[in-house]
């Protein structure tokens, strides 16, 4: 350890800043959580108070579980998010590998074309997408959402991953070729593990917007059977009255899976077992 | 038999021509070293031989067979890289066994070959470690082991010692020479270091800017370079070049090796000493001729010369090399 890090003043300052940041970041989550366990009156009277014997209430959770098929929504969100992420990572990484590894005519042009989507928001094409889904009969299926989210996530994924893949040692790939590994094996066995931190970054960047999206579920899959959690929770938010107990409870439950996915990916971010492969 | 034959090999990247008409024949069992300054196309040539890069034109024959359409794994070659390029997710043993496994060899044979390479390279204590848990020297030995296990017709080494520190470099160099004697196979070895080339090679191929300048045994090249580039590249400290006129010759440049100059009262040139390097076994004296050219003198043993001393430098006419203004040798 270097001197600066051993110095107690620096140490305290660093920890102070980190702790303060953690508190600020966690505060809204904390407020949502405590209020989801309170009666409606208590929420408005003292929003920052912890639930006590008097104000404790599970009414929000009861409403959420009674109203509509909450677990169904939950499952839909989970399926859409996980499948979309998988497809984004798989196809994104494969396209990135091709762009980074192979010299072919139009390589740069293809890279630019694939990156174009970063600058053009996919929502501009909503009407066309809806028409497409209607004519292919995919409206009100989770598949429609998965397709849209995959398309939405690919440009940035290709862009980030191809940069990282250019950094993977050529010698390592060539050693694999001499040992008779197929290009697929080189990609899956040698290259992918080395770009895992970048994959985790892409996954985290894509996960939250997909999980939270309201736009496409509302337009492409509003049927009861295909509602996502975000869309399902909207029934509690009215134009004139909002059932805050239910909204806060639904939010509390919606945080959980994202948290779990995030923990999985961030462990990948930090893990460094592949270092020292070359040099 | 010929182990490797290159005929008119050219390679261009986009518009840049990196290799120009390379013709070369390597006999079986030979240790051939490609040497040249960095960026001259040595690695590219090696990758073309390995099949990792397609030649733009020309043909590559390995063991008498044209291998233009043969993938790297089927060319009967093995390659050792400067950056070791070990598989990070496999143990030392797994690294060595992968090539054979991929070729579908049976388990007993793989075990045998790995055991033999392990013994040859003293890798037994590390068999179950991953590359990340090894030092640079150990990693390079594993990389060599991975090549040995395949029992290739042709070994390709791409600057295998460049990432090692000086002491380890010398040990590994000797190990590679030893390996060549034991295995008796053909080795093509790439380096930018003329000492590695001189010490290891049966034959040296000097490359410059994608062209072969000269091919020959280390002593042939040292004693009889065809041009100024080869003369200056081989030997350390490198050959002194002065305008031929200074020595009263009719050519563009005259060259003389530092060890062929002596400090003597009856020398032909007058000079002033500018720096002295005492190496114990040798003494390098850097001087400036009265006509202004810097010149290096290598003396055997220890000599007490002082900076600023005026001396006379002598040499034998027989040791003088003359070059014309294109750098070609004048005989
Ligand atoms: N994949 C490539 N694309 C474009 N140029 C390359 C490529 N590989 C090598 N070069 C160029 O070819 C020349 C020779 O490179 P290289 O064979 O690596 O040299 P050396 O190994 O002798 O140092 C260099 O000028 C380098 O920039
Ligand atoms: Mg090189």
């Amino acid at each position: 350890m270097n001197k600066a890090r051993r110095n107690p003043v620096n140490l305290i300052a660093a920890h102070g800043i980190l702790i303060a940041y953690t508190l600020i970041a966690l505060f809204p989550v904390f407020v949502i959580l405590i209020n989801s366990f309170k009666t409606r009156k208590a929420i408005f009277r003292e929003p920052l108070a912890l639930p006590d014997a008097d104000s404790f209430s599970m009414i929000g959770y009861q409403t959420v579980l009674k109203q509509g098929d909450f677990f169904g929504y939950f499952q839909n969100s989970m399926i859409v998010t996980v499948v979309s992420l998988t497809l984004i990572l798989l196809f994104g990484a494969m396209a990135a590998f091709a762009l980074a590894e192979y010299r072919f005519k139009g390589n740069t042009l293809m890279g630019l074309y694939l990156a174009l989507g970063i600058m053009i928001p996919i929502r501009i094409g909503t009407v066309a997408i809806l028409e497409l889904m209607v004519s292919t009969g995919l409206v009100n299926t989770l598949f429609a959402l998965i397709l849209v989210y995959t398309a939405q996530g690919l440009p940035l994924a290709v862009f980030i991953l191809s940069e990282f893949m250019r950094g993977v040692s050529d010698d390592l790939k060539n050693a694999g070729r001499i040992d008779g590994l197929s290009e697929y094996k080189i990609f899956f066995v040698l290259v992918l593990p080395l770009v895992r931190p970048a994959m985790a970054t892409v996954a985290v960047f894509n996960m939250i917007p997909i999980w939270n999206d309201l736009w496409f579920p509302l337009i492409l899959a509003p049927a009861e059977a295909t509602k996502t959690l975000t869309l399902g929770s909207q029934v509690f938010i009215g134009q004139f009255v909002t059932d805050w107990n239910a909204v806060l409870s639904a939010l509390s439950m919606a945080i959980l899976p994202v948290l779990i996915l995030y923990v999985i990916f961030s462990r990948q971010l930090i893990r460094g077992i592949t270092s020292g492969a070359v040099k | 038999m010929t182990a490797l034959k290159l005929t008119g090999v050219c390679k261009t990247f986009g518009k840049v021509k990196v290799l120009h008409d390379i013709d070369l024949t390597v006999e079986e069992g030979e240790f051939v070293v490609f040497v040249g300054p960095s960026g001259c196309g040595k690695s590219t040539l090696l990758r073309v031989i390995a099949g990792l890069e397609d030649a733009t034109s020309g043909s590559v024959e390995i063991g008498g067979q044209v291998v233009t359409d043969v993938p790297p794994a089927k060319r009967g070659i093995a390659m050792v890289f400067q950056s070791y390029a070990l598989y990070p997710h496999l143990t030392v043993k797994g690294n060595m066994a992968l090539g054979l496994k991929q070729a579908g060899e049976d388990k007993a044979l793989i075990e045998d070959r790995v055991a033999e390479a392990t013994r040859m390279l003293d890798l037994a204590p590390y068999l179950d470690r991953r590359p990340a848990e090894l030092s640079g020297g150990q990693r390079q030995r594993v990389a060599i082991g991975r090549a040995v296990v395949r029992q290739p017709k042709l070994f390709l080494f791409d600057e295998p010692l460049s990432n090692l520190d000086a002491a380890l470099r010398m040990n590994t160099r000797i190990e590679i020479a030893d390996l060549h004697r034991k295995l008796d196979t053909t080795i093509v070895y790439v380096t930018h270091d003329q000492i590695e080339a001189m010490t290891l090679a049966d034959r040296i191929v000097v490359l410059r800017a994608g062209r072969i300048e000269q091919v020959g045994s280390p002593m042939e090249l040292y004693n009889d370079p065809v041009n100024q580039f080869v003369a200056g590249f081989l030997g350390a400290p490198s050959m002194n070049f002065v305008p031929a006129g200074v020595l009263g010759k009719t050519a563009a440049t005259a060259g003389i090796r530092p060890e062929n100059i002596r400090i003597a009262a009856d020398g032909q040139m007058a000079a002033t000493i500018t720096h002295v390097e005492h190496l114990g076994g040798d003494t390098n004296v850097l001087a400036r001729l009265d006509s202004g050219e810097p010149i290096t003198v290598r003396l055997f043993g220890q000599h007490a010369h002082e900076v600023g001393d005026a001396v006379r430098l002598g040499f034998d006419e027989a040791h003088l090399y003359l070059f014309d203004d294109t750098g070609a040798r004048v005989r």
Side-chain angles (χ1 to χ4, degrees), chain A residues 167-240:
Chain A
V168 174
S169 148
D170 281 337
D171 286 354
L172 185 65
K173 290 174 279 196
N174 285 338
R177 288 189 183 112
I178 286 176
D179 272 343
L181 297 182
S182 66
E183 292 298 310
Y184 283 98
K185 265 215 160 138
I186 287 172
F187 172 69
F188 282 111
V189 179
L190 296 183
V191 176
L192 273 197
L194 290 175
V195 296
R196 203 154 44 185
M199 304 268 284
T201 310
V202 170
V204 169
F205 267 125
N206 279 298
M207 175 176 66
I208 315 284
I210 295 177
W211 183 266
N212 285 341
D213 190 35
L214 180 60
W215 182 266
F216 284 111
L218 188 62
I219 294 166
L220 298 179
E224 184 61 22
T226 53
K227 263 188 192 165
T228 60
L229 193 58
T230 318
L231 182 55
S233 309
Q234 297 307 308
V235 296
F236 308 117
I237 300 176
Q239 192 176 356
F240 306 109

XYZ file of all heavy atoms in Angstrom, chain A residues 167-240:
576
model
N -8.647 -5.063 -27.740
C -7.578 -5.111 -26.743
C -7.152 -6.523 -26.367
O -6.146 -6.699 -25.692
N -7.910 -7.530 -26.797
C -7.524 -8.901 -26.454
C -6.328 -9.313 -27.302
O -6.310 -9.090 -28.510
C -8.695 -9.875 -26.674
C -8.248 -11.304 -26.455
C -9.836 -9.527 -25.746
N -5.348 -9.890 -26.666
C -4.091 -10.241 -27.324
C -4.280 -11.075 -28.592
O -4.937 -12.114 -28.569
C -3.231 -11.007 -26.319
O -2.437 -11.959 -26.970
N -3.706 -10.606 -29.699
C -3.737 -11.370 -30.941
C -3.015 -12.690 -30.786
O -3.416 -13.705 -31.339
C -3.044 -10.581 -32.066
C -3.960 -9.513 -32.640
O -5.187 -9.667 -32.494
O -3.445 -8.548 -33.219
N -1.915 -12.642 -30.035
C -1.124 -13.857 -29.850
C -1.965 -14.971 -29.226
O -1.857 -16.123 -29.615
C 0.083 -13.568 -28.941
C 1.155 -12.765 -29.668
O 0.997 -12.542 -30.884
O 2.140 -12.375 -29.023
N -2.810 -14.599 -28.269
C -3.633 -15.616 -27.599
C -4.567 -16.283 -28.605
O -4.677 -17.512 -28.657
C -4.429 -14.967 -26.470
C -5.231 -15.931 -25.611
C -4.303 -16.864 -24.851
C -6.123 -15.177 -24.641
N -5.224 -15.469 -29.428
C -6.136 -16.017 -30.434
C -5.356 -16.871 -31.429
O -5.809 -17.950 -31.833
C -6.872 -14.881 -31.146
C -7.874 -14.186 -30.234
C -8.502 -12.982 -30.894
C -7.606 -11.789 -30.815
N -8.278 -10.503 -31.103
N -4.174 -16.390 -31.827
C -3.369 -17.148 -32.781
C -2.883 -18.459 -32.189
O -2.835 -19.473 -32.879
C -2.182 -16.307 -33.245
C -2.615 -15.232 -34.233
O -3.659 -15.358 -34.858
N -1.830 -14.192 -34.362
N -2.544 -18.436 -30.898
C -2.135 -19.683 -30.242
C -3.281 -20.685 -30.318
O -3.074 -21.872 -30.590
C -1.742 -19.416 -28.792
N -4.504 -20.197 -30.093
C -5.671 -21.069 -30.186
C -5.833 -21.631 -31.591
O -6.119 -22.810 -31.772
N -5.600 -20.784 -32.594
C -5.746 -21.251 -33.982
C -4.724 -22.341 -34.283
O -5.035 -23.326 -34.954
C -5.568 -20.083 -34.951
C -6.750 -19.158 -34.886
C -6.756 -18.099 -35.955
N -7.926 -17.268 -35.690
C -7.873 -16.001 -35.282
N -6.717 -15.388 -35.157
N -8.981 -15.356 -35.000
N -3.508 -22.155 -33.795
C -2.474 -23.151 -34.071
C -2.795 -24.460 -33.352
O -2.515 -25.545 -33.850
C -1.092 -22.603 -33.670
C -0.679 -21.562 -34.703
C -0.052 -23.708 -33.569
C 0.600 -20.858 -34.412
N -3.417 -24.352 -32.166
C -3.806 -25.566 -31.450
C -5.098 -26.168 -31.999
O -5.604 -27.146 -31.458
C -3.962 -25.271 -29.956
C -2.642 -25.440 -29.216
O -1.733 -26.075 -29.776
O -2.514 -24.942 -28.085
N -5.655 -25.567 -33.051
C -6.794 -26.185 -33.716
C -8.154 -25.814 -33.152
O -9.136 -26.496 -33.426
N -8.242 -24.730 -32.361
C -9.555 -24.303 -31.883
C -10.314 -23.646 -33.045
O -9.727 -22.922 -33.845
C -9.409 -23.285 -30.749
C -8.716 -23.769 -29.475
C -8.691 -22.656 -28.442
C -9.412 -24.979 -28.906
N -11.631 -23.905 -33.099
C -12.436 -23.245 -34.132
C -12.633 -21.789 -33.729
O -12.416 -21.414 -32.581
C -13.785 -23.936 -34.241
O -14.510 -23.736 -33.049
N -13.059 -20.980 -34.706
C -13.284 -19.556 -34.405
C -14.335 -19.403 -33.295
O -14.257 -18.497 -32.473
C -13.725 -18.812 -35.660
C -12.638 -18.693 -36.719
C -11.417 -17.912 -36.256
O -11.574 -16.802 -35.726
O -10.288 -18.420 -36.394
N -15.329 -20.295 -33.286
C -16.348 -20.214 -32.238
C -15.748 -20.490 -30.869
O -16.045 -19.815 -29.893
C -17.487 -21.206 -32.513
C -18.412 -20.720 -33.588
C -18.279 -21.171 -34.892
C -19.387 -19.778 -33.305
C -19.106 -20.704 -35.891
C -20.217 -19.293 -34.295
C -20.078 -19.762 -35.589
O -20.890 -19.280 -36.576
N -14.892 -21.505 -30.818
C -14.259 -21.835 -29.534
C -13.366 -20.693 -29.087
O -13.308 -20.346 -27.909
C -13.440 -23.123 -29.671
C -14.189 -24.348 -29.245
C -13.245 -25.336 -28.580
C -14.015 -26.318 -27.744
N -13.488 -27.679 -27.911
N -12.620 -20.108 -30.045
C -11.750 -18.989 -29.696
C -12.589 -17.868 -29.105
O -12.239 -17.274 -28.087
C -10.976 -18.511 -30.942
C -9.911 -19.534 -31.284
C -10.340 -17.145 -30.704
C -9.206 -19.284 -32.595
N -13.747 -17.626 -29.727
C -14.633 -16.571 -29.250
C -15.188 -16.887 -27.864
O -15.065 -16.094 -26.933
C -15.762 -16.375 -30.258
C -16.849 -15.453 -29.788
C -16.603 -14.102 -29.639
C -18.113 -15.947 -29.483
C -17.604 -13.247 -29.201
C -19.114 -15.093 -29.042
C -18.859 -13.748 -28.897
N -15.774 -18.079 -27.720
C -16.455 -18.380 -26.462
C -15.488 -18.712 -25.328
O -15.709 -18.324 -24.185
C -17.439 -19.537 -26.650
C -18.716 -19.124 -27.322
C -19.009 -19.541 -28.600
C -19.609 -18.284 -26.669
C -20.185 -19.148 -29.230
C -20.777 -17.879 -27.281
C -21.064 -18.313 -28.564
N -14.421 -19.432 -25.638
C -13.557 -19.932 -24.567
C -12.421 -18.963 -24.233
O -12.069 -18.784 -23.071
C -12.977 -21.316 -24.948
C -12.061 -21.823 -23.859
C -14.105 -22.301 -25.205
N -11.840 -18.325 -25.253
C -10.687 -17.470 -24.982
C -11.066 -16.001 -24.827
O -10.627 -15.329 -23.901
C -9.651 -17.597 -26.105
C -9.004 -18.958 -26.276
C -7.959 -18.907 -27.381
C -8.366 -19.419 -24.986
N -11.891 -15.495 -25.751
C -12.115 -14.042 -25.789
C -13.186 -13.596 -24.787
O -12.972 -12.658 -24.016
C -12.487 -13.595 -27.217
C -12.813 -12.120 -27.249
C -11.339 -13.896 -28.164
N -14.325 -14.292 -24.779
C -15.413 -13.839 -23.907
C -15.003 -13.696 -22.445
O -15.291 -12.681 -21.826
C -16.623 -14.764 -24.025
C -17.608 -14.439 -25.140
C -18.941 -15.141 -24.895
C -17.840 -12.942 -25.263
N -14.323 -14.685 -21.863
C -13.945 -14.519 -20.450
C -13.071 -13.290 -20.213
O -13.147 -12.678 -19.156
C -13.169 -15.798 -20.137
C -13.622 -16.780 -21.138
C -13.921 -16.003 -22.375
N -12.276 -12.919 -21.215
C -11.385 -11.776 -21.023
C -12.124 -10.442 -21.112
O -11.641 -9.438 -20.604
C -10.247 -11.809 -22.045
C -9.234 -12.929 -21.829
C -8.219 -12.950 -22.953
C -8.527 -12.776 -20.503
N -13.278 -10.427 -21.787
C -14.016 -9.156 -21.870
C -15.201 -9.156 -20.903
O -16.114 -8.363 -21.035
C -14.508 -8.843 -23.304
C -13.338 -8.651 -24.242
C -15.419 -9.926 -23.821
N -15.159 -10.061 -19.932
C -16.285 -10.165 -19.003
C -16.604 -8.843 -18.298
O -17.778 -8.496 -18.161
C -16.019 -11.278 -17.996
C -17.277 -11.817 -17.400
C -17.108 -13.224 -16.929
N -15.861 -13.394 -16.214
C -15.422 -14.552 -15.777
N -16.114 -15.633 -15.977
N -14.279 -14.650 -15.152
N -15.598 -8.082 -17.863
C -15.942 -6.799 -17.234
C -16.747 -5.897 -18.170
O -17.709 -5.262 -17.744
C -14.585 -6.185 -16.923
C -13.661 -7.339 -16.817
C -14.164 -8.352 -17.791
N -16.377 -5.877 -19.451
C -17.112 -5.043 -20.400
C -18.526 -5.575 -20.590
O -19.483 -4.810 -20.706
C -16.378 -5.002 -21.736
N -18.668 -6.908 -20.616
C -19.999 -7.507 -20.753
C -20.872 -7.112 -19.567
O -22.056 -6.801 -19.733
C -19.886 -9.035 -20.787
C -18.991 -9.569 -21.858
S -19.870 -9.950 -23.356
C -20.661 -11.449 -22.895
N -20.290 -7.127 -18.371
C -21.056 -6.766 -17.189
C -21.498 -5.311 -17.270
O -22.631 -4.974 -16.921
C -20.213 -7.001 -15.937
N -20.603 -4.454 -17.768
C -20.952 -3.040 -17.919
C -22.144 -2.892 -18.857
O -23.112 -2.194 -18.553
C -19.755 -2.269 -18.513
O -18.599 -2.589 -17.751
C -20.002 -0.780 -18.469
N -22.061 -3.556 -19.995
C -23.150 -3.481 -20.972
C -24.444 -4.007 -20.353
O -25.517 -3.412 -20.512
C -22.788 -4.286 -22.237
C -23.987 -4.426 -23.145
C -21.639 -3.622 -22.967
N -24.353 -5.100 -19.619
C -25.538 -5.691 -19.003
C -26.187 -4.715 -18.025
O -27.399 -4.504 -18.049
C -25.165 -6.990 -18.290
N -25.377 -4.089 -17.180
C -25.926 -3.163 -16.189
C -26.562 -1.954 -16.869
O -27.646 -1.519 -16.507
C -24.820 -2.725 -15.198
C -25.303 -1.567 -14.348
C -24.408 -3.892 -14.337
N -25.883 -1.443 -17.921
C -26.411 -0.283 -18.637
C -27.764 -0.582 -19.261
O -28.624 0.280 -19.354
C -25.440 0.158 -19.742
C -24.480 1.206 -19.295
C -23.114 1.016 -19.437
C -24.947 2.378 -18.710
C -22.221 1.982 -19.012
C -24.061 3.338 -18.280
C -22.702 3.142 -18.430
N -27.938 -1.808 -19.754
C -29.157 -2.154 -20.461
C -30.283 -2.614 -19.549
O -31.449 -2.449 -19.864
C -28.870 -3.254 -21.486
C -28.284 -2.673 -22.749
O -28.920 -1.880 -23.424
N -27.055 -3.030 -23.041
N -29.906 -3.197 -18.418
C -30.896 -3.846 -17.567
C -31.932 -2.856 -17.026
O -33.143 -3.076 -17.146
C -30.159 -4.532 -16.426
C -31.035 -5.143 -15.388
S -30.015 -6.002 -14.197
C -29.132 -4.652 -13.469
N -31.475 -1.745 -16.441
C -32.377 -0.828 -15.746
C -33.427 -0.230 -16.703
O -34.617 -0.280 -16.406
C -31.586 0.298 -15.038
C -30.388 -0.284 -14.301
C -32.477 1.116 -14.123
C -30.673 -0.991 -13.026
N -32.986 0.313 -17.873
C -34.003 0.875 -18.774
C -35.029 -0.158 -19.237
O -36.206 0.175 -19.390
C -33.184 1.382 -19.971
C -31.812 1.528 -19.471
C -31.627 0.559 -18.373
N -34.596 -1.398 -19.455
C -35.549 -2.412 -19.906
C -36.545 -2.723 -18.787
O -37.752 -2.758 -18.986
C -34.807 -3.709 -20.332
C -33.937 -3.434 -21.543
C -35.814 -4.816 -20.624
C -33.118 -4.629 -21.989
N -36.037 -2.920 -17.605
C -36.889 -3.264 -16.461
C -37.904 -2.147 -16.198
O -39.064 -2.404 -15.882
C -35.997 -3.496 -15.233
C -36.754 -3.922 -14.021
C -37.220 -3.106 -13.030
C -37.153 -5.245 -13.674
N -37.878 -3.836 -12.092
C -37.851 -5.168 -12.464
C -36.990 -6.498 -14.282
C -38.379 -6.269 -11.830
C -37.512 -7.607 -13.639
C -38.207 -7.487 -12.436
N -37.457 -0.916 -16.319
C -38.316 0.210 -15.960
C -39.192 0.707 -17.100
O -40.004 1.587 -16.895
C -37.459 1.398 -15.500
C -36.912 1.158 -14.110
O -37.431 0.315 -13.382
N -35.871 1.884 -13.754
N -38.998 0.182 -18.316
C -39.678 0.784 -19.459
C -41.195 0.650 -19.350
O -41.734 -0.393 -18.988
C -39.196 0.130 -20.764
C -39.706 0.893 -21.965
O -39.803 2.130 -21.869
O -40.016 0.263 -22.988
N -41.864 1.747 -19.683
C -43.316 1.748 -19.669
C -43.855 1.847 -21.101
O -44.888 1.294 -21.443
C -43.805 2.945 -18.853
C -45.317 3.117 -18.715
C -45.931 1.899 -18.033
C -45.631 4.378 -17.925
N -43.108 2.562 -21.937
C -43.521 2.919 -23.286
C -43.895 1.701 -24.138
O -45.041 1.561 -24.576
C -42.372 3.705 -23.918
C -42.598 4.205 -25.305
C -42.235 3.591 -26.453
C -43.196 5.448 -25.670
N -42.555 4.367 -27.521
C -43.154 5.526 -27.081
C -43.760 6.520 -24.955
C -43.638 6.606 -27.790
C -44.246 7.594 -25.659
C -44.196 7.646 -27.059
N -42.928 0.816 -24.343
C -43.201 -0.295 -25.255
C -44.179 -1.323 -24.687
O -45.034 -1.810 -25.427
C -41.894 -0.943 -25.725
C -41.204 -0.115 -26.765
C -40.015 0.527 -26.491
C -41.772 0.065 -28.016
C -39.398 1.315 -27.440
C -41.165 0.854 -28.977
C -39.977 1.481 -28.692
N -44.113 -1.655 -23.385
C -45.147 -2.563 -22.865
C -46.550 -1.992 -23.060
O -47.473 -2.702 -23.432
C -44.809 -2.661 -21.372
C -43.358 -2.390 -21.312
C -43.067 -1.390 -22.390
N -46.691 -0.686 -22.881
C -48.000 -0.048 -23.024
C -48.498 -0.113 -24.464
O -49.676 -0.327 -24.717
C -47.880 1.415 -22.576
C -49.170 2.213 -22.458
C -50.068 1.589 -21.403
C -48.851 3.660 -22.091
N -47.552 0.035 -25.412
C -47.957 0.091 -26.815
C -48.012 -1.285 -27.462
O -48.930 -1.603 -28.198
C -46.979 0.993 -27.607
C -47.138 2.431 -27.102
C -47.232 0.909 -29.107
C -46.031 3.344 -27.536
N -47.025 -2.123 -27.131
C -46.915 -3.388 -27.855
C -47.554 -4.569 -27.119
O -47.948 -5.536 -27.756
C -45.448 -3.714 -28.133
C -44.680 -2.731 -29.015
C -43.245 -3.178 -29.170
C -45.352 -2.590 -30.371
N -47.611 -4.506 -25.794
C -48.085 -5.682 -25.069
C -48.906 -5.309 -23.837
O -48.557 -5.651 -22.721
C -46.896 -6.559 -24.664
N -50.008 -4.578 -24.040
C -50.781 -4.134 -22.873
C -51.767 -5.188 -22.352
O -52.441 -4.926 -21.356
C -51.532 -2.914 -23.422
C -51.679 -3.182 -24.883
C -50.547 -4.055 -25.298
N -51.831 -6.347 -22.998
C -52.804 -7.353 -22.558
C -52.471 -7.816 -21.146
O -51.317 -7.763 -20.712
C -52.789 -8.542 -23.515
N -53.477 -8.289 -20.443
C -53.298 -8.712 -19.053
C -52.195 -9.773 -18.937
O -51.357 -9.720 -18.053
C -54.637 -9.258 -18.534
C -54.653 -9.658 -17.075
C -54.341 -8.493 -16.129
O -54.519 -7.323 -16.522
O -53.886 -8.758 -15.002
N -52.168 -10.712 -19.886
C -51.235 -11.839 -19.782
C -49.789 -11.425 -20.027
O -48.864 -12.125 -19.640
C -51.631 -12.930 -20.767
N -49.589 -10.284 -20.706
C -48.219 -9.912 -21.054
C -47.768 -8.624 -20.364
O -46.708 -8.104 -20.660
C -48.082 -9.716 -22.574
O -49.087 -8.794 -23.004
C -48.229 -11.024 -23.319
N -48.576 -8.113 -19.441
C -48.192 -6.885 -18.731
C -46.890 -7.081 -17.980
O -46.676 -8.113 -17.336
C -49.279 -6.520 -17.727
C -50.246 -5.487 -18.252
C -51.167 -5.028 -17.153
C -52.298 -4.221 -17.759
N -53.417 -4.047 -16.830
N -46.037 -6.053 -18.052
C -44.824 -6.100 -17.225
C -45.115 -5.432 -15.894
O -46.166 -4.807 -15.708
C -43.674 -5.351 -17.898
O -44.051 -4.000 -18.084
C -43.305 -5.986 -19.223
N -44.182 -5.548 -14.993
C -44.362 -5.022 -13.646
C -44.621 -3.515 -13.672
O -45.510 -3.012 -12.997
C -43.108 -5.321 -12.829
C -43.229 -5.118 -11.331
C -44.348 -5.970 -10.770
C -41.918 -5.477 -10.665
N -43.845 -2.802 -14.453
C -43.989 -1.344 -14.497
C -45.370 -0.953 -14.993
O -46.025 -0.071 -14.442
C -42.930 -0.743 -15.439
O -41.704 -1.406 -15.220
C -42.765 0.734 -15.182
N -45.800 -1.657 -16.050
C -47.122 -1.367 -16.598
C -48.205 -1.777 -15.604
O -49.170 -1.034 -15.377
C -47.289 -2.106 -17.925
C -48.614 -1.883 -18.667
C -48.849 -0.410 -18.900
C -48.608 -2.637 -19.983
N -48.038 -2.944 -14.983
C -49.011 -3.447 -14.010
C -49.180 -2.499 -12.838
O -50.275 -2.356 -12.287
N -48.082 -1.834 -12.437
C -48.136 -0.937 -11.275
C -48.894 0.341 -11.591
O -49.285 1.073 -10.686
C -46.729 -0.573 -10.808
O -45.976 -1.729 -10.638
N -49.068 0.639 -12.869
C -49.696 1.908 -13.243
C -51.156 1.992 -12.814
O -51.691 3.084 -12.691
C -49.603 2.133 -14.755
C -48.187 2.247 -15.275
C -47.386 3.279 -14.517
O -47.805 4.425 -14.371
N -46.236 2.872 -13.997
N -51.787 0.845 -12.586
C -53.200 0.899 -12.191
C -53.377 1.653 -10.875
O -54.434 2.184 -10.594
C -53.815 -0.513 -12.042
C -53.831 -1.224 -13.370
C -53.096 -1.313 -10.985
N -52.307 1.717 -10.072
C -52.423 2.379 -8.772
C -52.229 3.882 -8.884
O -52.455 4.629 -7.957
C -51.410 1.814 -7.769
C -51.480 0.323 -7.675
C -50.407 -0.465 -8.032
C -52.644 -0.297 -7.231
C -50.469 -1.829 -7.954
C -52.712 -1.666 -7.145
C -51.626 -2.441 -7.509
N -51.689 4.330 -10.031
C -51.473 5.757 -10.210
C -52.597 6.299 -11.072
O -52.666 6.026 -12.273
C -50.105 6.019 -10.879
C -48.993 5.466 -9.997
C -49.911 7.515 -11.125
C -47.611 5.576 -10.578
N -53.495 7.029 -10.467
C -54.629 7.553 -11.213
C -54.414 9.019 -11.523
O -53.468 9.634 -11.033
N -55.299 9.559 -12.344
C -55.179 10.974 -12.667
C -55.551 11.822 -11.455
O -54.991 12.880 -11.226
C -56.093 11.309 -13.850
C -55.813 12.678 -14.421
C -56.670 12.953 -15.647
O -57.419 12.091 -16.111
N -56.558 14.148 -16.167
N -56.520 11.322 -10.649
C -56.999 12.115 -9.518
C -56.567 11.543 -8.188
O -56.172 12.265 -7.289
C -58.517 12.226 -9.586
C -58.974 12.764 -10.911
C -59.618 11.963 -11.828
C -58.694 14.077 -11.247
C -60.009 12.459 -13.056
C -59.084 14.582 -12.482
C -59.745 13.783 -13.391
